[in-house]
């Protein structure tokens, strides 16, 4: 299956928090979108890997994405090395996305920047024909593939975006997908330990940060992204 957009997240719920509105909008526009989670989030204070597996599947259904996979890297301990890069390369070559979205370039959680660098490096390497890969159980070697563009969504830190996507009609769908992770976010009846993302303030921040960015670009709600290299457009009207 060829995807238009492949979204990577270090943990289940990263993609929803950083780009859930954009994902929902692209799906509504007819694009084929997939998510690859690098870890199962097994070191998270609340919930468990098994619970988060179920929550990720529920969130995927809400967003209407075509596919979701988990590479089961070690939460907190994966690194940007050949072994991990090769697994990302296999995913990129498997789905041949035109566009890749991935973690923030800088953030509070160490896995976010690590995941950002890992995916970025692997997307470049995926285009080199002398790197041989094949999926487990497959006899056929994969063809080289490099996405046209790679963008980083914004997470905990208030990074300055290079561009913003209008998600005004999709903020409720984003919120619904986030709340599929009921073990992780605000629940007044939960007796789980408190974490930085389990507070009511954090949950509310998802919407008010999107509203504030929307204010800056003249829409109701928006999600911001950063770029690594210059973005080209066909004509000025494409920027409107």
């Amino acid at each position: 299956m060829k995807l238009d957009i492949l979204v990577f997240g270090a943990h289940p719920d990263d993609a929803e928090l950083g780009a859930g509105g954009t994902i929902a909008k692209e799906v509504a526009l007819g694009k084929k979108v997939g998510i690859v989670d690098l870890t199962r989030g097994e070191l998270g204070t609340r919930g468990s890997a098994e619970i988060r597996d179920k929550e990720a599947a529920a969130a995927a259904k809400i967003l209407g994405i075509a596919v979701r996979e988990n590479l089961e890297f070690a939460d907190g301990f994966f690194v940007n090395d050949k072994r991990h890069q090769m697994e990302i390369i296999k995913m990129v070559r498997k789905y041949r996305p035109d566009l890749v979205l991935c973690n923030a370039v800088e953030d509070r959680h160490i896995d976010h920047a690590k995941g950002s660098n890992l995916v970025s490096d692997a997307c470049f390497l995926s285009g080199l024909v002398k790197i041989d890969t094949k999926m487990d159980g497959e006899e056929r070697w994969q063809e080289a593939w490099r996405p046209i563009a790679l963008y980083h969504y914004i997470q905990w830190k208030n990074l300055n975006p290079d561009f913003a996507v209008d998600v005004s009609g999709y903020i409720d769908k984003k919120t619904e997908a986030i709340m599929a992770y009921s073990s992780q976010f605000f629940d007044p009846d939960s007796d789980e330990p408190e974490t930085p993302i389990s507070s009511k303030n954090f949950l509310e921040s998802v919407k008010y940060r999107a509203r504030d960015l929307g204010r800056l670009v003249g829409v109701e709600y928006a999600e911001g992204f950063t770029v690594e290299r210059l973005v080209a457009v066909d004509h000025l009207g494409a920027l409107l």
Side-chain angles (χ1 to χ4, degrees), residues 97-100 145-150 229:
D98 298 317
L99 175 63
V100 164
W145 181 271
R146 184 176 294 146
I148 296 171
L150 180 146
R229 52 187 63 88

Side-chain angles (χ1 to χ4, degrees), residues 49-98:
E50 292 75 20
I51 289 172
R52 297 186 78 172
D53 289 344
K54 294 176 182 178
E55 292 172 340
K61 187 175 182 179
I62 291 167
L63 292 174
I65 60 175
V67 65
R68 186 168 204 152
E69 296 203 39
N70 195 301
L71 292 177
E72 299 188 17
F73 293 165
D75 190 11
F77 293 99
F78 71 84
V79 294
N80 186 1
D81 63 3
K82 181 178 180 179
R83 180 177 75 83
H84 291 84
Q85 289 165 358
M86 291 295 280
E87 295 305 312
I88 301 290
I89 291 169
K90 290 177 185 178
M91 289 292 104
V92 173
R93 291 178 174 182
K94 178 180 181 179
Y95 292 115
R96 298 176 295 149
D98 298 317

